[in-house]
Amino acid sequence: VQLQASGGGLAQAGGSLTLSCAASGRIYSNAVMAWFRQVPTKEREFVALVRWGVGRTAYAENVKGRFTISKDGPDTMYLQMNNLKPEDTAVYFCARGTQWTFVANEYTNWGQGTLVTVSS
């Protein structure tokens, strides 16, 4: 399964953006889909995940209450980002795995990343 992330761009602090992740094939119910983000010189950071079949979600503490992960149909995932802050600036990646984990290395498929820039 190939993943294609899109929707990044420039937003002002306090603004909103919605990221999309489209899979080339069906995402099965036992999959875990996640969003990570990365800034230069830092490791990829967990943002949010969803267990595809049951829709159970988890969020990093620094985005909880501001970001919402969701799914649409068998092959599309979203990340609604509200009340954006300059520290949310990063390249955002979507990923697919099978484990309920916040560790990037545990995911097997990755999208190419989409840049989000938040100005103050």
Side-chain angles (χ1 to χ4, degrees), residues 16-32:
S16 299
L17 283 174
T18 301
L19 305 183
S20 300
C21 178
S24 60
R26 177 176 179 162
I27 301 170
Y28 288 94
S29 61
N30 66 334
V32 174

Side-chain angles (χ1 to χ4, degrees), residues 72-89:
D72 182 17
D75 56 9
T76 305
M77 175 176 70
Y78 299 103
L79 184 69
Q80 174 68 43
M81 305 185 294
N82 297 328
N83 191 20
L84 284 163
K85 303 177 180 180
E87 52 264 43
D88 294 320
T89 296

